[in-house]
Amino acid sequence: MSEPFVLAVLGPLMPDGLEGRLQQVDVDVEVVHVPYFESNELRTSRGHNAGKDPLGLAVPDLGPGDRANLARAHGMVSLDLPDDIAVLAPRLRWFQGVGAGFDHIDRAALADMGAVQSTASGIAAVPIAEFVVARLLQVWKHLRSLDDGQNERAWVEQYGMQMEGRTLGIVGLGAIGRALAVRARAFGMTVLATRGSARPGDTDPDVDELWPATALDDVLPRCDAVVLCLPAAPEVQDLMDARRIALMAEGSILVNVARGMHVVEADLIEALESGHLAAAVLDVTREEPLPAADPLWSAPNLYLSPHSAVSLDRYEATLFELVADNLGRLLRGDDLRNVVGPPG
């Protein structure tokens, strides 16, 4: 009898129902729980340094039982990747992330082991797209001011702006960008999008115009709102700096639901203070959690949220299906979904 495939699930709790769902794929799969979950500060440090932590921040403790489970693991489902993974889990063949982002994962360590890495890209696309639409409506319909009027018992008439007929720019037409494009067009918006793999003349059925990433400077002035949906990568570090923010249309809105690295925050604050931008929506910042003294908190017309644009009510069930599908593919020797290539 062959040995079971051991899948280690790292996180604060073992998700209810996951083991049963995976055993529908293969009855011999053994699922073990390892209570390993890193702090936001450590995750941010890793994200800025290709999965490494030069700050020496504290890592979660691993007890003898946890180390024994990791040593047996052939697969891993986790938000985080512990240090010295080749020593902790020498049999590891597959690392399945539970989020779309992977900048905080030591991809080089996994590649050196020969372990395939996959992400949960796409499963949060719909709720994040809904969040962006909600924020744009909040800004254009003056919902924050209307709520303030109610709280102050002040009957002050305020009239918002119409969404239909406006132009939305999507920087990075991936799963989130596509879900957003579909919803924006349902509101009657014109959608312009950039994609790194696009070439001049390319089209896409879900957007009105598709442009290469190199055309961003030409796209920005045409948009009433610009939404960043890019993955983390060195070439898009500080993408939205003072020069590019100045290219945006007067009175437009910048939205970032990607990574904090994409925006030079001091330049954004200056554009808000000058009134060049009507508003900015940030679900991500360069440092997370955002320190209480950070000037972003008090920037005018800034709509800030603590990296929480995703909705969790259906996330777990969708993740289970992705993990089950990828497990089946791995055991059959088929290509996995959402594979991340080695660095470099």
Side-chain angles (χ1 to χ4, degrees), residues 13-323:
L13 299 170
M14 172 66 113
D16 290 337
L18 177 59
E19 183 170 15
R21 177 65 186 91
L22 297 181
Q23 288 179 343
Q24 292 175 6
V25 177
D26 189 314
V27 70
D28 291 327
V29 170
E30 180 184 352
V31 181
V32 297
H33 177 235
V34 176
Y36 184 93
F37 192 70
E38 295 182 349
S39 66
N40 284 331
E41 292 86 351
L42 176 55
R43 205 169 291 128
T44 298
S45 177
R46 292 192 190 281
H48 292 165
N49 297 281
K52 310 292 185 182
D53 170 37
L55 302 179
L57 297 174
V59 298
D61 291 331
L62 287 168
D66 301 327
R67 291 178 178 273
N69 282 329
L70 288 175
R72 300 171 55 230
H74 303 98
M76 183 179 295
V77 177
S78 179
L79 178 61
D80 304 307
L81 183 71
D83 292 323
D84 300 323
I85 191 63
V87 175
L88 288 171
R91 308 173 78 184
L92 190 68
R93 296 164 47 197
W94 167 44
F95 176 86
Q96 171 67 59
V98 301
F102 53 83
D103 49 306
H104 62 295
I105 299 299
D106 190 344
R107 296 163 59 198
L110 291 171
D112 289 345
M113 296 176 65
V116 63
Q117 179 185 354
S118 55
T119 73
S121 177
I123 70 171
V126 167
I128 292 177
E130 291 173 346
F131 181 91
V132 172
V133 171
R135 281 299 207 190
L136 291 176
L137 286 169
Q138 182 184 23
V139 175
W140 282 329
K141 301 299 183 183
H142 303 316
L143 300 185
R144 177 181 280 180
S145 297
L146 291 170
D147 288 341
D148 289 343
Q150 179 182 355
N151 293 333
E152 296 164 5
R153 303 185 179 221
W155 190 268
V156 179
E157 296 168 340
Q158 299 182 69
Y159 301 98
M161 295 178 286
Q162 188 167 299
M163 198 169 189
E164 183 178 22
R166 295 185 176 276
T167 299
L168 181 69
I170 296 175
V171 185
L173 188 63
I176 294 171
R178 186 173 301 282
L180 176 59
V182 170
R183 283 151 183 79
R185 292 177 89 185
F187 274 90
M189 299 188 76
T190 297
V191 179
L192 317 180
T194 66
R195 187 167 61 204
S197 61
R199 297 293 176 263
D202 284 356
T203 61
D204 187 282
D206 290 325
V207 302
D208 295 283
E209 297 179 21
L210 178 63
W211 294 93
T214 53
L216 178 60
D217 288 1
D218 297 320
V219 171
L220 291 175
R222 302 173 57 194
C223 301
D224 297 292
V226 174
V227 184
L228 306 182
C229 303
L230 295 160
E235 58 269 23
V236 289
Q237 175 88 24
D238 300 336
L239 180 73
M240 298 304 296
D241 56 8
R243 184 186 72 81
R244 281 209 173 89
I245 292 173
L247 290 175
M248 293 178 63
E250 190 82 16
S252 59
I253 303 169
L254 178 62
V255 180
N256 189 9
V257 288
R259 285 291 183 267
M261 67 177 294
H262 300 314
V263 177
V264 179
E265 292 168 350
D267 295 346
L268 175 63
I269 292 172
E270 185 174 341
L272 291 169
E273 290 176 342
S274 72
H276 175 66
L277 293 184
V281 175
L282 298 183
D283 186 56
V284 289
T285 56
R286 297 179 87 97
E287 185 176 357
E288 297 181 7
L290 189 67
D294 195 286
L296 282 173
W297 288 108
S298 56
N301 298 315
L302 179 62
Y303 293 73
L304 186 65
S305 52
H307 208 145
S308 53
V310 69
S311 301
L312 297 181
D313 53 337
R314 300 182 186 176
Y315 192 93
E316 191 172 83
T318 309
L319 177 64
F320 284 9
E321 293 308 308
L322 173 63
V323 175

